[in-house]
Amino acid sequence: MEDYKKILKEILIDEKQIQTRNIELGKLISKDYQESEDLLLICILRGAFIFLSDLSRQITVQHAMDFMAISSYGTG
């Protein structure tokens, strides 16, 4: 598999920025849902799996995850 850094023209948001924002989002979600017992994170497979996994680790309230697969039809 080719290193993605070799084929990208530019990186718009680097890994550190994504990690920082994930931590911020995890704190916000945890605060907003601190009284909830039914927080459900839904992931559209496959592209968002890693992001949601990292975000889930930052959420301190009880939550569950579920996954959906979608298909694209036509030429898009």
Side-chain angles (χ1 to χ4, degrees):
M1 180 178 236
E2 189 172 0
D3 183 2
Y4 72 90
K5 292 179 183 176
K6 293 180 182 178
I7 59 174
L8 292 178
K9 183 176 180 180
E10 66 180 311
I11 296 175
L12 299 176
I13 303 172
D14 66 32
E15 184 178 347
K16 182 65 176 160
Q17 290 172 299
I18 293 171
Q19 289 174 350
T20 299
R21 186 61 178 143
N22 241 341
I23 292 167
E24 292 169 354
L25 287 172
K27 288 179 182 177
L28 287 171
I29 292 168
S30 297
K31 181 181 175 194
D32 289 346
Y33 288 88
Q34 64 187 345
E35 303 297 324
S36 177
E37 295 181 9
D38 57 358
L39 176 59
L40 176 62
L41 308 177
I42 300 174
C43 179
I44 305 298
L45 293 174
R46 288 177 278 215
F49 169 70
I50 299 299
F51 172 80
L52 189 67
S53 176
D54 289 344
L55 177 61
S56 176
R57 288 187 197 99
Q58 302 304 321
I59 297 173
T60 59
V61 297
Q62 180 178 337
H63 62 279
M65 290 193 294
D66 205 351
F67 301 89
M68 292 177 60
I70 59 172
S71 296
S72 176
Y73 295 100
T75 58

